[in-house]
Amino acid sequence: MSQRLVTVSKFLSKYLRHEPQALGLVLEPGGWVLIDDLLAGAAEQSFPISRDELMRVVAESDKQRFAIDEAGLRIRANQGHSTAVELQLPDVAPPPQLYHGTVAKFLDSIWASGLQKMNRHDVHLSPDLATATKVGERRGKPIILLVDTAQMAADGFTFRRSENGVWLTEHVPPRYLRLAETS
Ligand code: HQG
């Protein structure tokens, strides 16, 4: 993806996940906004984006961060919101185990209080070790935690999956966590 499109992607993340009001937008249920409103808001902020650029960001995003609705009129961020939004994702039974990539400096706190959603709406869990490693690596040397989702589900915890394959849950208490053996 070109540097310009990365900049556009970051701009979209900022306003679709965190500060829609700063662009004059109100997220509809599901996190949707009219593409026309978004492009108008961007132009008003002196950051004009063409429709073609927007479509290319959606299509080329390595993690499928954004989605366009079936009519082609609305866009949303698939996950990662800090602003209030109802993503309307159904509860889904998780696979027996999921992964969470983090870094060593958070471990004491994680063993004490479990995985917390911090600034996001949900705790994010990865479907496989490779994805969790990438998530952890954003902050330094990755540490991978295994999450006993089979036991969590048996104990009544619920899970949802975003359109781009990230697993979401409210909180993972420490008893369901252990360090993954990494080579
Ligand atoms: C840590 C990116 C202390 C947690 C990625 C993480 C992912 C705690 C950080 C997505 C804690 C929160 C989400 C506790 C959790 N004490 N630290 N009790 N509980 N933490 O970015 O999961 O590029 O909000 O380990 O690829 O790292 O945005 O969550 O290190 O999919 O699309 O607190 O963000 O995707 O960090 O990443 P984040 P995350 P995007």
Side-chain angles (χ1 to χ4, degrees):
M1 186 184 277
S2 70
Q3 192 51 50
R4 163 69 184 168
L5 292 188
V6 170
T7 306
V8 171
S9 177
K10 290 189 172 164
F11 181 93
L12 295 179
S13 284
K14 176 174 177 189
Y15 293 105
L16 293 177
R17 291 173 169 181
H18 307 299
E19 293 181 24
Q21 68 287 354
L23 222 52
L25 302 172
V26 177
L27 300 189
E28 296 172 24
W32 299 104
V33 299
L34 282 172
I35 292 172
D36 284 346
D37 289 352
L38 174 66
L39 296 180
E44 268 171 42
Q45 290 279 315
S46 305
F47 189 81
I49 302 170
S50 71
R51 190 172 292 267
D52 179 57
E53 285 175 321
L54 181 116
M55 292 305 183
R56 283 181 56 202
V57 168
V58 175
E60 293 177 24
S61 167
D62 51 349
K63 290 186 1 201
Q64 295 294 304
R65 290 189 174 87
F66 311 102
I68 306 275
D69 71 2
E70 282 175 16
L73 292 176
R74 291 176 170 77
I75 183 171
R76 76 167 180 193
N78 280 327
Q79 41 82 22
H81 300 82
S82 62
T83 187
V85 65
E86 176 45 68
L87 282 181
Q88 299 180 313
L89 295 169
D91 289 350
V92 192
Q97 176 169 276
L98 288 170
Y99 303 81
H100 180 83
T102 188
V103 285
K105 68 176 176 188
F106 294 147
L107 281 182
D108 282 350
S109 168
I110 290 173
W111 295 136
S113 64
L115 292 175
Q116 307 274 2
K117 40 191 165 169
M118 313 306 277
N119 290 330
R120 303 201 191 234
H121 270 214
D122 305 275
V123 173
H124 286 216
L125 302 174
S126 304
D128 52 58
L129 205 62
T131 309
T133 302
K134 277 193 210 146
V135 173
E137 268 171 355
R138 295 177 304 147
R139 300 197 156 82
K141 185 170 182 289
I143 302 267
I144 310 303
L145 300 173
L146 296 180
V147 185
D148 186 354
T149 39
Q151 190 60 52
M152 285 183 74
D155 292 346
F157 288 81
T158 57
F159 296 82
R160 289 161 301 129
R161 190 179 48 207
S162 72
E163 238 170 85
N164 58 346
V166 178
W167 285 87
L168 308 169
T169 195
E170 281 274 303
H171 173 224
V172 181
R175 63 183 178 279
Y176 301 109
L177 294 169
R178 64 187 170 87
L179 274 181
E181 312 271 338
T182 44
S183 48

